[in-house]
Amino acid sequence: MIDEPAWTMGVEEEYLLVHRETGALITKQPPGVLETVSNVRHGLVARELFDSQIEIGTDVCSNLKELRADVWVLRQAVADAAAEYGMAPIAASSHPFARWHQQQYTDKERYQAIAADLQGVIRRLVISGMHVHVGIEDQELRIDLMEQASYFLPHLLALSTSSPFWEARNTGLRSYRMAVGEAIPRSGIPEKFGSWSEFRRHIDVLVRAGIIEDSTMVWWYIRPSERYPTLEMRVTDLPTRMEDSVAIAAMYVCLLRMLWRLRLENRRWRSYANFLLSENLWRAQRYGVGGELMDFGKGVLVPFGDLLEELIEMVLPDAEALDCVAEIEHTRTICRRGTSADRQLATYHGALEEGATEDEALKAVVDVLVADTVAPAEF
């Protein structure tokens, strides 16, 4: 009998800090914010690439209920600390009207080195995301599940979209973060590897050449973590509402467990070329939950809501085993009411219809993001 992975989990979320009165993105983070949050949860909060960002990381959680509690405590801690300085965090992957060229890098050696290497590409990355780690001790299993789970990256992205605006413009995309981030080298859908050793050989080519220090500088949408025995999902925007983050994390871990069950039966998810998977990523980025994705097995476009019902049915045994049925079923609510991107767009257009100026409508979007970031859970 093959031992089942522990399926431990953790979430990283990157918040943008705004001036509460104006809604503008800050350019310089007061030194006390990080320290205040650290007093609540030491070691689980850090600076990000830009001084306007702050990152939280949950502890290693054994189940979704622990994860939910950790995310809630950390969001509240950041909000309380920011409030002391007239600021607030927003859980969104882009700020509605910030100008990227006005942002300042964090004074941290790693980030300064990345900025020096990537130059103009990195300067535009005033974007935030959510990363979900799932504990899988077996290295070979991590590589196998990385390839199979890549099929579902568009579905996870669609559920998370929260970046429809960029520099005070409606981009027409539900996730403009993806358009900004795709310029980074060593990003995108991972290559297909037959084993852990093959994966390491490819990474080590770049390490020996001095191009990268380690695999933390390979920014695929899903990757084995360099620091932990986890498979890290990085494709998603940052959901604004806490329960959406937890639900998407639940869907990810349940999808991995479903693929592990198939493996026990000597079955696996069919492999498709990255060229095709990228098409679905684009459709998720462009249309979100209101669009269609390609069902490659049938060769047709299918409404996302129909595909989501299929996913829920497939992972229901895993949700029951991991005690997260409510979280999985909440993805239906996300699909029905829309994601943060849909809510932002509705707020923006609603304000304009009521006579607001462009600036006032965008400020209204920030106000909604501030409120929703720390809103009580819907379930």
Side-chain angles (χ1 to χ4, degrees):
M1 179 66 178
I2 300 175
D3 291 337
E4 181 168 355
W7 307 120
T8 53
M9 60 202 77
V11 163
E12 299 165 349
E13 294 190 325
E14 302 158 347
Y15 308 128
L16 297 168
L17 296 173
V18 301
H19 293 289
R20 191 63 190 90
E21 185 175 345
T22 66
L25 191 61
I26 71 165
T27 55
K28 187 67 177 175
Q29 185 179 141
V33 176
L34 203 68
E35 288 72 15
T36 301
V37 181
S38 294
N39 289 337
V40 177
R41 294 302 297 270
H42 180 68
L44 298 177
V45 59
R47 295 190 184 277
E48 250 297 326
L49 175 62
F50 292 99
D51 222 24
S52 54
Q53 296 173 301
I54 187 167
E55 180 186 48
I56 63 95
T58 68
D59 204 348
V60 178
C61 301
S62 60
N63 56 60
L64 270 299
K65 290 177 176 54
E66 289 181 10
L67 188 74
R68 175 202 291 267
D70 252 21
V71 173
W72 179 248
V73 167
L74 287 161
R75 284 197 179 206
Q76 290 292 329
V78 173
D80 291 345
E84 295 182 16
Y85 298 87
M87 303 184 308
I90 59 172
S93 283
S94 67
H95 186 278
F97 58 87
R99 307 290 176 174
W100 60 263
H101 56 83
Q102 296 174 344
Q103 297 303 303
Q104 300 179 27
Y105 296 126
T106 296
D107 185 16
K108 189 175 180 180
E109 184 177 349
R110 173 182 169 83
Y111 293 143
Q112 295 291 338
I114 293 174
D117 182 31
L118 300 185
Q119 291 292 309
V121 169
I122 203 74
R123 293 188 189 118
R124 297 181 66 242
L125 292 183
V126 190
I127 52 176
S128 297
M130 175 181 72
H131 305 159
V132 181
H133 289 261
V134 173
I136 301 172
E137 298 81 0
D138 186 286
Q139 294 174 337
E140 301 299 335
L141 181 59
R142 286 207 295 277
I143 292 300
D144 185 33
L145 294 187
M146 179 175 73
E147 177 189 341
Q148 295 188 68
S150 293
Y151 180 88
F152 302 102
L153 295 176
H155 306 73
L156 297 169
L157 173 62
L159 286 167
S160 71
T161 55
S162 67
S163 51
F165 294 100
W166 185 253
E167 296 204 330
R169 294 186 179 181
N170 177 3
T171 66
L173 279 63
R174 294 303 193 268
S175 174
Y176 194 71
R177 162 185 160 270
M178 293 289 285
V180 176
E182 66 186 7
I184 307 173
R186 304 179 295 278
S187 63
I189 300 170
E191 297 291 335
K192 295 175 171 61
F193 301 102
S195 65
W196 176 263
S197 61
E198 184 182 356
F199 160 72
R200 286 304 324 178
R201 282 199 304 273
H202 283 76
I203 296 298
D204 290 343
V205 168
L206 300 185
V207 173
R208 285 194 298 269
I211 296 172
I212 61 175
E213 292 182 7
D214 52 43
S215 65
T216 63
M217 299 184 73
V218 175
W219 295 292
W220 292 328
Y221 297 149
I222 183 172
R223 69 179 185 184
S225 172
E226 177 78 17
R227 299 188 180 100
Y228 312 109
T230 65
L231 188 57
E232 178 189 9
M233 186 274 293
R234 304 167 49 85
V235 74
T236 46
D237 272 10
L238 173 56
T240 303
R241 297 191 64 98
M242 182 268 292
E243 68 268 20
D244 293 1
S245 290
V246 175
I248 292 167
M251 179 60 78
Y252 174 55
V253 68
C254 285
L255 284 168
L256 292 181
R257 190 179 187 277
M258 179 270 293
L259 295 172
W260 172 78
R261 283 193 294 112
L262 291 180
R263 182 183 167 102
L264 291 182
E265 301 167 2
N266 292 319
R267 296 190 294 157
R268 59 183 289 113
W269 201 261
R270 183 175 175 183
S271 179
Y272 294 94
N274 287 357
F275 164 72
L276 294 178
L277 301 182
S278 295
E279 184 63 30
N280 264 353
L281 270 177
W282 160 249
R283 299 192 65 82
Q285 171 188 350
R286 169 67 178 86
Y287 301 106
V289 295
E292 300 171 315
L293 298 182
M294 176 70 89
D295 183 320
F296 297 121
K298 299 176 182 176
V300 296
L301 287 171
V302 179
F304 180 80
D306 294 348
L307 294 174
L308 180 61
E309 288 300 324
E310 293 179 5
L311 287 187
I312 292 172
E313 182 179 356
M314 282 193 303
V315 304
L316 189 57
D318 309 284
E320 291 171 345
L322 298 175
D323 192 21
C324 60
V325 173
E327 286 81 359
I328 291 298
E329 290 182 341
H330 179 71
T331 59
R332 288 194 181 105
T333 300
I334 299 174
C335 190
R336 183 182 67 251
R337 64 151 157 77
T339 64
S340 172
D342 297 308
R343 179 158 165 77
Q344 290 178 55
L345 289 166
T347 300
Y348 171 75
H349 291 300
L352 291 178
E353 289 170 4
E354 293 176 2
T357 65
E358 285 280 338
D359 288 348
E360 291 169 340
L362 290 168
K363 171 59 165 57
V365 173
V366 174
D367 289 342
V368 165
L369 289 172
V370 168
D372 286 354
T373 295
V374 292
E378 293 179 351
F379 69 97

